[in-house]
Amino acid sequence: MNARSSYSCFSCFHLFFLVVLALFRLCSSDQNSHHVLCNDVERQALLRFKHGLTDESQRLASWVAENKDCCTWAGIACDNSTGHVHRIHLPGSDGHCDILYDGVTLKGEISQSLLDLKHLKHLDLSCNDFGGIQVPKFIGSFQNLRYLNLSYSNFGGSICRSLGG
Ligand SMILES: *[C@@H]1O[C@H](CO)[C@@H](O)[C@H](O)[C@H]1NC(C)=O
Ligand SMILES: *[C@@H]1O[C@H](CO)[C@@H](O)[C@H](O)[C@H]1NC(C)=O
């Protein structure tokens, strides 16, 4: 009798465990179904953008081809339902431009591949160090851009003139 009751108790626990496991799997697959991977063209564009930059502080370490979902890359946010990149937020020095430590800024050049991000609304590259180059003219061509911050990023020339031209 003892053996019997401990057996049924074991199977009861077993069943309970299975139910918990099933619920857990159900919940996590439910979460995944809401998650849209980033658009492949946009992922390639971001990789080319990274290629033009010098990233001494490894801020863009998560930006690698093996990591398929560019929506999870540092500084990137996507529209949840479409997977389109709508935000690049990479201010240098954590946005504290007054303390420009060497090495926490992005350098190099801004690749025109960014124009492939057709749904980009927000681009913040403030407080980086672009070494006095001109603001690229194509920056004025984003159709959906609502927020652009290139301040304290060591650009030469006037942004307004570049945007106008
Ligand atoms: C998108 O997903 C993130 C994380 O799951 C969530 O925090 C955010 O509120 C969602 N945004 C919209 C607009 O649904
Ligand atoms: C632009 O970026 C700088 C540095 O990150 C920040 O201090 C400033 O408030 C930003 N400007 C706007 C209009 O958001």
Side-chain angles (χ1 to χ4, degrees):
M1 189 171 166
N2 251 349
R4 217 191 138 129
S5 75
S6 77
Y7 171 75
S8 73
C9 201
F10 168 76
S11 69
C12 186
F13 178 75
H14 196 216
L15 193 69
F16 173 74
F17 189 72
L18 280 179
V19 168
V20 168
L21 199 73
L23 279 176
F24 183 76
R25 296 192 97 185
L26 204 73
C27 289
S28 57
S29 73
D30 193 41
Q31 257 176 10
N32 284 341
S33 71
H34 286 297
H35 188 75
V36 184
L37 287 184
C38 82
N39 179 287
D40 198 50
V41 172
E42 299 185 0
R43 187 166 56 94
Q44 299 298 335
L46 288 172
L47 287 174
R48 276 179 281 140
F49 170 58
K50 178 186 179 179
H51 192 73
L53 297 172
T54 308
D55 178 25
E56 287 162 358
S57 53
Q58 299 288 304
R59 292 192 65 200
L60 307 181
S62 56
W63 293 39
V64 286
E66 299 76 57
N67 187 355
K68 291 268 184 245
D69 189 4
C70 69
C71 300
T72 64
W73 293 0
I76 299 296
C78 295
D79 183 297
N80 285 354
S81 50
T82 64
H84 287 299
V85 173
H86 68 179
R87 189 177 150 98
I88 299 179
H89 190 75
L90 291 170
S93 309
D94 279 330
H96 300 292
C97 304
D98 38 341
I99 19 175
L100 280 176
Y101 299 113
D102 201 35
V104 288
T105 56
L106 297 169
K107 296 175 180 161
E109 51 190 49
I110 300 178
S111 166
Q112 190 158 351
S113 69
L114 281 188
L115 284 185
D116 284 346
L117 305 171
K118 303 259 187 260
H119 302 265
L120 195 66
K121 291 183 183 148
H122 175 114
L123 177 60
D124 190 331
L125 298 173
S126 61
C127 304
N128 287 297
D129 182 6
F130 292 100
I133 60 170
Q134 298 285 313
V135 172
K137 281 206 162 71
F138 70 80
I139 290 281
S141 313
F142 289 102
Q143 295 299 307
N144 291 297
L145 203 64
R146 297 286 170 270
Y147 178 91
L148 174 67
N149 195 339
L150 301 177
S151 52
Y152 313 105
S153 263
N154 196 10
F155 279 107
S158 134
I159 294 179
C160 300
R161 212 186 315 138
S162 303
L163 290 181

